[in-house]
Amino acid sequence: MSLLRTNSGPPSAQVLVGGELLPSKYVPVHNPARIDELVGHCALGTPEMVERAVETAKVAAPTWRDLGFHRRAAMLRSALPRLRETLAERANLLTREQGKVLWESVADARGPELVIEYFAGLIDGGYGREERWDESGRVVIRRVPRGVTAIIVPWNYPIYLACQHLIPALITGNTVVVKPSELVPLSLSRTLAVLADALPDGVVNVVPGEGPIVGRALTRSADVRNVLFTGSVPVGQEILRAGADLVRTSSLELGGNDPALLLEDASLDDATMNEMVRGVFTCTGQICFSIKRIYVPRSRANEFLAAFTAAADAIVVGDGLDERSTMGPLNNARQLERVQGLLAEARGAGASVQAVGSRLDPDGWERGHFMLPHVVSDIADDNPLVQTEQFGPVVPIVTYDSLEEGVAMANDTEYGLAASVWTADPDAGLQVGELLETGSIFVNSHRLGSSDMSMPFGGTKRSGIGRTHTAAILDECTEPQALAFKKDLSAFPGPALAEQAR
Ligand code: NAD
């Protein structure tokens, strides 16, 4: 059955099991730029639906596994034309449900295309099977799928983040159950429908709904043999605990509190400041690897504050679909309150707080989850705004007196996702980068594009376990299986080995 029929009326994120859309209860999804505007509906999946989806994925698994890498890659590639045709529609829908400006939604919505092309290329290059055949015998090492895989997705970059796990899981022969975020489920569900339509029924199943109900049921299911999770640290910890009982792996892409470390010689020209502003405020600061703290040498603190604030002042906050907006609203009321709370706490502790940028539509401001960007200075390194992941358009600037102190402050966090070094000497920047305890380090940039699929991506410390991108994620979706026919076992002669101890 084609899942691509367009019904009249607002779109829905539906429960998809074995190619069938299941009837369920729904909750409304509103536009964060105009919270009285209904964008669509999200199904509220139940534990019973999760059970049915997992069972369906389990039944579909052997046939999908036995197709082999190349046929699976070809089937995924067959979805590319439809993904391209629907790009504009999916990106517009994403801005309406998530809030971010349209170019950011396009960057997110074209994710599956890029991910399919990259990983199908790795398959063309021969991933998945090694063979040795010599006088000692024959050894085959092949990568076999782990089995039914749960993919749990957050609300900030839903399409790309889902697909960077989904496509590697599928191409290596796993069947999946995807749980979109209940806050931003629509454009991802539409994308998943395109993919599911190109594959046999039961290979891609989708159960939207609430995390503590659908997500928890999924991660506690004994038939789920791998969990690929992107989201917060507490939920990641819960998934690890459930995995311990089931002796099951998970790959966790968790939060970040990324530092940008400005060195004495860094340029403060417009291009550099615009790049840094982009690193902080893209997606309204709601990216796991946004710059979340800036460390500046005391000798350059005033100069930096003036240059950075001037660059950030060009930001125009408004509806993400309006071409004049350069920053959209926050996605939800809870996030807005949390960020405003951290800002108030910093102000209460004596920090200097400066609102920058402008409001595109001052009259409609209260109708959305809007907030101006804020630059915070004169703040201590142990302030909660510096130490926790704010996930919003607010950045603290902290001064340091020596490079050693700057590096120590940058590393003094429980997170370790990414970091950046800003300097006129890129080689020195890479050297300083080696002192930072994060999974990725960038020099003179810190944004989408600073990492790519040829670079492993993931966190140290509480930022996660495992890596996406590269063949590393294909390895996380599979287990090596060794098959051997050994003609020559003379290296292990048995009882004769005792001679070596006499
Ligand atoms: P979240 O952990 O609250 O939710 C993520 C997903 O988990 C959602 O689909 C949610 O419904 C589900 N969930 C919630 N409770 C669950 C439970 N008990 N069991 C199973 N699933 C459950 O995170 P969020 O608020 O959606 O996203 C923001 C967080 O995600 C931030 O911390 C951000 O840094 C992080 N993030 C990390 C990366 C990365 O690549 N490292 C990327 C994007 C976002």
Side-chain angles (χ1 to χ4, degrees):
M1 177 186 72
S2 173
L3 301 163
L4 298 176
R5 285 167 311 163
T6 40
N7 305 321
S8 51
S12 312
Q14 289 169 283
V15 179
L16 169 65
V17 175
E20 239 184 278
L21 298 170
L22 304 190
S24 50
K25 288 189 182 152
Y26 288 88
V27 284
V29 177
H30 294 284
N31 184 342
R34 279 181 299 280
I35 45 188
D36 48 0
E37 179 187 306
L38 178 77
V39 182
H41 295 94
C42 179
L44 287 179
T46 62
E48 293 71 36
M49 290 171 179
V50 169
E51 203 177 313
R52 193 164 150 190
V54 171
E55 182 56 31
T56 303
K58 195 174 164 190
V59 169
T63 313
W64 182 241
R65 178 196 64 204
D66 293 345
L67 277 180
F69 287 99
H70 295 285
R71 285 182 62 195
R72 287 191 298 263
M75 280 185 158
L76 285 164
R77 277 182 168 131
S78 76
L80 290 173
R82 194 76 185 112
L83 286 169
R84 289 184 190 122
E85 277 163 35
T86 55
L87 175 67
E89 173 210 329
R90 292 182 295 112
N92 276 275
L93 181 57
L94 179 53
T95 286
R96 290 183 61 224
E97 62 174 337
Q98 205 285 336
K100 58 192 168 187
V101 295
L102 190 59
W103 75 260
E104 291 169 11
S105 291
V106 173
D108 193 343
R110 69 180 187 154
E113 225 182 280
L114 304 182
V115 180
I116 289 173
E117 279 164 352
Y118 177 79
F119 285 103
L122 289 191
I123 300 305
D124 293 344
Y127 179 85
R129 192 179 173 96
E130 288 167 41
E131 206 158 334
R132 282 198 312 270
W133 196 346
D134 55 29
E135 59 286 349
S136 69
R138 184 175 172 194
V139 172
V140 177
I141 298 167
R142 58 185 207 114
R143 306 287 320 187
V144 296
R146 288 184 185 275
V148 176
T149 297
I151 295 173
I152 303 182
V153 188
W155 47 262
N156 59 338
Y157 257 76
I159 301 179
Y160 180 76
L161 292 173
C163 288
Q164 71 167 3
H165 283 150
L166 174 70
I167 304 303
L170 291 173
I171 218 163
T172 50
N174 302 280
T175 53
V176 303
V177 180
V178 184
K179 207 245 16 105
S181 164
E182 59 276 38
L183 293 169
V184 186
L186 302 171
S187 52
L188 172 58
S189 293
R190 182 82 178 108
T191 306
L192 294 170
V194 173
L195 288 165
D197 233 27
L199 307 177
D201 286 346
V203 170
V204 174
N205 305 280
V206 187
V207 187
E210 292 171 346
I213 295 174
V214 173
R216 194 168 276 160
L218 200 47
T219 60
R220 290 186 179 180
S221 165
D223 286 324
V224 169
R225 296 311 307 153
N226 196 11
V227 178
L228 304 175
F229 172 75
T230 312
S232 63
V233 176
V235 177
Q237 289 169 319
E238 185 180 329
I239 291 170
L240 277 181
R241 280 184 217 111
D245 286 342
L246 299 166
V247 192
R248 182 197 59 204
T249 56
S250 6
S251 174
L252 306 175
E253 294 284 320
L254 307 179
N257 191 11
D258 290 9
L261 182 63
L262 193 99
L263 304 191
E264 284 281 356
D265 68 348
S267 166
L268 301 182
D269 66 8
D270 289 353
T272 311
M273 289 301 94
N274 287 337
E275 191 62 51
M276 201 182 250
V277 162
R278 197 163 162 182
V280 174
F281 296 110
T282 298
C283 199
T284 322
Q286 303 163 118
I287 299 187
C288 53
F289 75 112
S290 294
I291 296 173
K292 306 215 170 96
R293 328 170 258 154
I294 303 178
Y295 291 94
V296 183
R298 193 175 301 281
S299 59
R300 303 199 67 193
N302 291 340
E303 193 194 352
F304 173 79
L305 184 61
F308 181 79
T309 307
D313 204 34
I315 292 175
V316 179
V317 185
D319 180 348
L321 285 182
D322 191 313
E323 310 181 330
R324 294 167 297 169
S325 303
T326 58
M327 192 179 101
L330 282 103
N331 171 256
N332 57 79
R334 215 175 105 206
Q335 194 57 24
L336 180 63
E337 272 162 34
R338 183 182 135 70
V339 177
Q340 284 175 335
L342 285 166
L343 199 55
E345 204 175 340
R347 203 182 265 121
S352 309
V353 174
Q354 200 178 341
V356 292
S358 53
R359 301 167 188 213
L360 183 63
D361 173 19
D363 294 340
W365 194 255
E366 296 304 326
R367 286 175 66 205
H369 302 307
F370 290 111
M371 180 175 176
L372 286 174
H374 282 72
V375 180
V376 181
S377 52
D378 302 320
I379 183 165
D381 195 43
D382 61 358
N383 188 284
L385 180 61
V386 183
Q387 287 302 322
T388 54
E389 181 191 34
Q390 67 274 44
F391 224 56
V394 174
V395 69
I397 298 170
V398 182
T399 50
Y400 67 83
D401 288 307
S402 66
L403 182 57
E404 291 68 31
E405 190 192 19
V407 168
M409 284 169 154
N411 284 336
D412 184 20
T413 168
E414 59 186 20
Y415 293 103
L417 192 57
S420 53
V421 182
W422 299 73
T423 169
D425 178 352
D427 290 329
L430 290 173
Q431 260 176 5
V432 172
E434 290 189 17
L435 303 173
L436 299 175
E437 298 163 351
T438 53
S440 302
I441 295 108
F442 315 117
V443 173
N444 294 344
S445 77
H446 193 141
R447 60 159 163 112
L448 299 174
S450 298
S451 181
D452 64 54
M453 271 180 277
S454 72
M455 299 161 62
F457 184 82
T460 63
K461 305 184 201 170
R462 287 185 183 220
S463 286
I465 297 177
R467 293 290 181 270
T468 55
H469 297 172
T470 72
I473 183 65
L474 300 181
D475 290 349
E476 302 222 1
C477 293
T478 54
E479 289 169 319
Q481 183 185 55
L483 300 96
F485 162 59
K486 293 215 175 182
K487 285 195 259 182
D488 179 4
L489 296 170
S490 58
F492 290 90
L497 271 177
E499 290 306 320
Q500 295 181 15
R502 290 201 175 106

